[in-house]
């Protein structure tokens, strides 16, 4: 109720007869009345109208007024609290997809992952590295999930840790809201490459997050490293999952000797990862998801600076951190393999194509040809996902035919072999 509405109601009341209602007035009330009548000369029309109906017993009137104002502001506060809670809930719901992660200036801002447990050989670890205990949920389309899948394959861990891929195109995950996300096919044959959830019978990745946490309000991303024993998510952060896969399962890995993060290269790998993540891995997303020109241009410039830097490094050595393959190469590869097929068109990264960087292009073929790597690249899933799941970028979902690059073609990187 507004203050003016209330005044309207007061002025509509019949004029009270003070003596009849309250009896004889006291000297104190009389003095107050005198003061008030002096002050009333200076009041607005509305306040004058109010004082016309003021009962003689001022104490009661003032108390009533005080109560009224107290409850009025109390209810006002309650209403605004309720509203702001509703706004917060709405914002949380809206932030359930990468497409909603925007700064005020229209730049893409990726939010950090939430499940950050570590599988460890440490005897006190709640997540010990047991064969058959963990399951990796991925999408072949997703570069972050693909780097985990690459580790499963090249470390020879795919028998100890099984994996399932979701369908490439986002669908509604619930009838009760608008969220679009990763879903499993209903059968083994519905979608080549993807399969139903073999553990929980979940219909979507969202359902896995809801099984793991009843109050989760973030994005429902892949990869998800699932613990069958504790029925929860160990980690949804690919950068940390690959570190676990590199070292913690060596007792059961078929290719335990391969160390993609050896102690003598760790500082160098960390340094390279940082600018490659910012400029390239996440940089292509910053180009593609920008909603204003400025942040797009800033991201595109940074992207090409970083690509030029890689091209320069790879003109002198076979891999990013020397002549042995490392974590940094797997992390860069997952973006490069998608570059000309998707990012150049869909994310507007077209200043220069991967194929126009001789060293980077040959390097991408070289990594693709590491035993096990090619099985982690499903270009059909990749193209159908990006072109089909972001209607705000590609409203008709049309998938470009080209360029259909043959990454198994010969490359020239052996020239750097020791
Ligand atoms: N920090 C995560 C990022 C994973 C991520 O962003 N995955 C994307 C697919 S490429 C996803 O699942 N997005 C779902 C969404 O935005 O709703 C990681 O590196 O593991």
């Amino acid at each position: 109720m507004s203050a003016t509405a209330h005044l309207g109601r007061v002025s509509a009341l019949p004029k009270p007869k003070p003596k009849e209602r309250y009896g004889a007035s006291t000297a104190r009330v009389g003095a107050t009345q005198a003061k008030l009548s002096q002050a009333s000369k200076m009041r607005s029309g509305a306040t004058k109208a109010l004082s016309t109906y003021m009962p003689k017993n001022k104490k009661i009137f003032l108390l009533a007024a005080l109560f009224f104002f107290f409850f009025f502001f109390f209810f006002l506060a309650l209403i605004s609290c309720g509203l702001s809670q509703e706004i917060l809930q709405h914002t949380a719901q809206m932030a359930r997809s990468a497409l909603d992660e925007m700064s005020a200036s229209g730049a893409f801002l990726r939010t950090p992952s939430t499940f950050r447990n570590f599988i460890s050989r440490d005897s006190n670890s709640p997540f010990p590295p047991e064969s058959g205990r963990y399951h990796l949920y991925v999408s072949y389309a997703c570069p972050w999930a693909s780097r985990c899948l690459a580790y499963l394959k090249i470390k020879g861990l795919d028998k100890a840790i099984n994996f399932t891929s979701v369908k490439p195109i986002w669908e509604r995950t619930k009838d009760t809201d608008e969220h679009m996300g990763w879903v499993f096919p209903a059968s083994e044959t519905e979608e080549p490459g993807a399969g139903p959830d073999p553990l929980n019978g979940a219909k979507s990745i969202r359902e896995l997050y809801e099984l793991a946490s009843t109050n989760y309000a973030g994005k429902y991303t892949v990869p998800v490293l699932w613990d069958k024993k504790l029925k929860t998510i160990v980690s949804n952060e690919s950068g940390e999952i690959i570190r676990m896969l590199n070292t913690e399962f060596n007792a059961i890995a078929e290719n335990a000797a391969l160390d993609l993060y050896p102690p003598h290269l760790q500082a160098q790998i960390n340094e390279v990862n940082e600018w490659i993540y910012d400029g390239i891995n996440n940089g292509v997303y910053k180009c593609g998801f920008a909603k204003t020109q400025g942040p797009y241009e800033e991201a595109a410039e940074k992207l090409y600076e970083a690509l030029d830097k890689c091209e320069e490094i790879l003109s002198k050595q076979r891999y990013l951190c020397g002549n042995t393959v490392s974590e940094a190469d797997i992390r860069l590869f997952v973006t490069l393999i998608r570059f000309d097929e998707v990012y150049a068109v869909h994310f507007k990264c077209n200043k220069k194509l991967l194929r126009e960087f001789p060293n980077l292009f040959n390097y991408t073929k070289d990594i693709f040809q590491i035993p096990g790597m090619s099985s982690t690249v499903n270009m059909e899933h990749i193209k159908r996902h990006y072109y089909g799941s972001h209607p705000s970028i590609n409203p008709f979902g049309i998938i470009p035919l080209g360029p259909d690059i043959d990454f198994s073609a010969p490359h020239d990187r052996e020239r750097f072999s020791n």
Side-chain angles (χ1 to χ4, degrees):
M1 192 207 302
S2 78
T4 25
H6 168 74
L7 281 179
R9 254 210 246 161
V10 170
S11 59
L13 290 171
K15 193 174 176 176
K17 292 177 186 148
K19 275 188 186 162
E20 263 174 40
R21 289 176 64 193
Y22 301 112
S25 48
T26 62
R28 203 156 52 120
V29 170
T32 316
Q33 253 178 343
K35 272 189 213 157
L36 281 175
S37 72
Q38 199 185 2
S40 74
K41 282 176 196 157
M42 294 151 75
R43 283 188 196 140
S44 68
T47 324
K48 270 185 197 160
L50 194 68
S51 57
T52 317
Y53 296 103
M54 205 177 275
K56 272 219 170 137
N57 193 334
K58 289 286 178 342
K59 220 174 178 179
I60 292 171
F61 176 81
L62 282 174
L63 268 175
L66 263 174
F67 269 115
F68 168 77
F69 282 114
F70 173 80
F71 282 113
F72 179 74
F73 285 113
F74 179 69
F75 283 118
L76 208 67
L78 270 189
I79 289 165
S80 64
C81 266
L83 273 179
S84 52
Q85 218 164 2
E86 229 173 77
I87 291 165
L88 278 178
Q89 271 165 7
H90 183 67
T91 316
Q93 232 162 357
M94 291 301 287
R96 280 196 186 143
S97 163
L99 283 160
D100 307 308
E101 294 174 317
M102 281 299 133
S103 76
S105 69
F108 171 59
L109 283 183
R110 188 181 290 278
T111 48
S113 305
T114 314
F115 293 90
R116 309 294 284 267
N117 303 298
F118 274 84
I119 293 173
S120 161
R121 286 169 292 177
D122 190 295
S123 55
N124 297 321
S125 170
F127 301 102
E130 293 165 9
S131 179
R133 175 164 168 174
Y134 303 97
H135 193 88
L136 185 66
Y137 290 98
V138 298
S139 160
Y140 280 110
C142 169
W144 319 101
S146 295
R147 59 196 196 184
C148 300
L149 193 52
Y151 267 67
L152 275 198
K153 295 287 180 180
I154 62 179
K155 285 285 298 183
L157 277 170
D158 48 338
K159 291 197 190 84
I161 303 173
N162 291 346
F163 73 93
T164 302
S165 172
V166 290
K167 286 165 60 165
I169 302 178
W170 286 350
E171 291 178 20
R172 286 274 296 276
T173 54
K174 265 192 188 163
D175 294 335
T176 46
D177 62 35
E178 300 297 309
H179 175 255
M180 301 287 288
W182 303 111
V183 295
F184 296 95
S187 71
E188 288 292 345
T189 50
E190 184 191 322
E191 180 73 65
D197 173 18
L199 305 179
N200 306 293
K203 300 277 173 288
S204 65
I205 290 290
R206 177 181 184 173
E207 259 184 69
L208 297 177
Y209 278 82
E210 288 171 348
L211 282 173
S213 162
T214 46
N215 55 1
Y216 182 75
K219 290 186 299 174
Y220 308 110
T221 56
V222 287
V224 166
L225 184 59
W226 183 265
D227 179 2
K228 299 183 201 174
K229 193 170 173 188
L230 300 181
K231 295 194 185 340
T232 193
I233 297 174
V234 180
S235 174
N236 66 342
E237 175 45 55
S238 63
E240 290 165 7
I241 295 173
I242 61 175
R243 293 268 166 97
M244 301 173 211
L245 300 181
N246 185 54
T247 54
E248 301 309 298
F249 289 88
N250 279 344
I252 49 177
E254 285 167 12
N255 194 6
L258 175 71
D259 187 356
L260 293 160
Y261 191 60
H264 70 286
L265 287 182
Q266 288 179 1
Q268 196 184 344
I269 292 171
N270 291 345
E271 189 264 328
V272 166
N273 282 350
E274 205 171 307
W275 59 263
I276 289 189
Y277 170 80
D278 191 40
I280 303 178
N281 303 133
N282 198 36
V284 292
Y285 281 87
K286 286 194 267 182
C287 292
F289 288 167
K291 286 191 173 161
T292 51
Q293 188 68 24
Y296 159 74
E297 283 184 17
E298 200 181 305
E301 271 157 28
K302 213 167 178 182
L303 165 67
Y304 282 96
E305 264 167 40
L307 287 172
D308 287 341
K309 191 166 167 182
C310 289
E311 179 69 6
E312 164 70 14
I313 294 171
L314 295 170
S315 71
K316 299 192 189 97
Q317 58 195 42
R318 187 161 179 176
Y319 304 107
L320 283 170
C321 297
N323 281 330
T324 48
V325 68
S326 78
E327 179 190 291
D329 300 300
I330 307 299
R331 290 173 54 124
L332 177 58
F333 169 79
V334 295
T335 301
L336 297 183
I337 196 87
R338 289 161 175 75
F339 202 88
D340 287 6
E341 302 282 357
V342 175
Y343 302 144
V345 180
H346 191 61
F347 282 176
K348 304 179 189 75
C349 303
N350 67 343
K351 204 173 150 205
K352 205 167 157 186
L353 298 173
L354 174 72
R355 286 162 294 164
E356 295 173 273
F357 292 93
N359 289 297
L360 270 174
F361 183 38
N362 277 288
Y363 163 86
T364 309
K365 288 192 267 182
D366 189 10
I367 310 281
F368 180 79
Q369 291 170 31
I370 293 174
M373 283 300 286
S374 64
S375 72
T376 69
V377 179
N378 183 329
M379 201 52 85
E380 201 192 314
H381 275 224
I382 292 173
K383 289 181 74 172
R384 282 174 57 211
H385 166 66
Y386 283 96
Y387 292 113
S389 299
H390 306 141
S392 56
I393 300 176
N394 190 27
F396 300 111
I398 288 168
I399 304 168
L401 283 179
D404 205 12
I405 301 164
D406 180 9
F407 287 100
S408 57
H411 61 79
D412 63 3
R413 305 298 295 167
E414 265 131 19
R415 70 184 198 270
F416 295 112
S417 295
N418 295 326

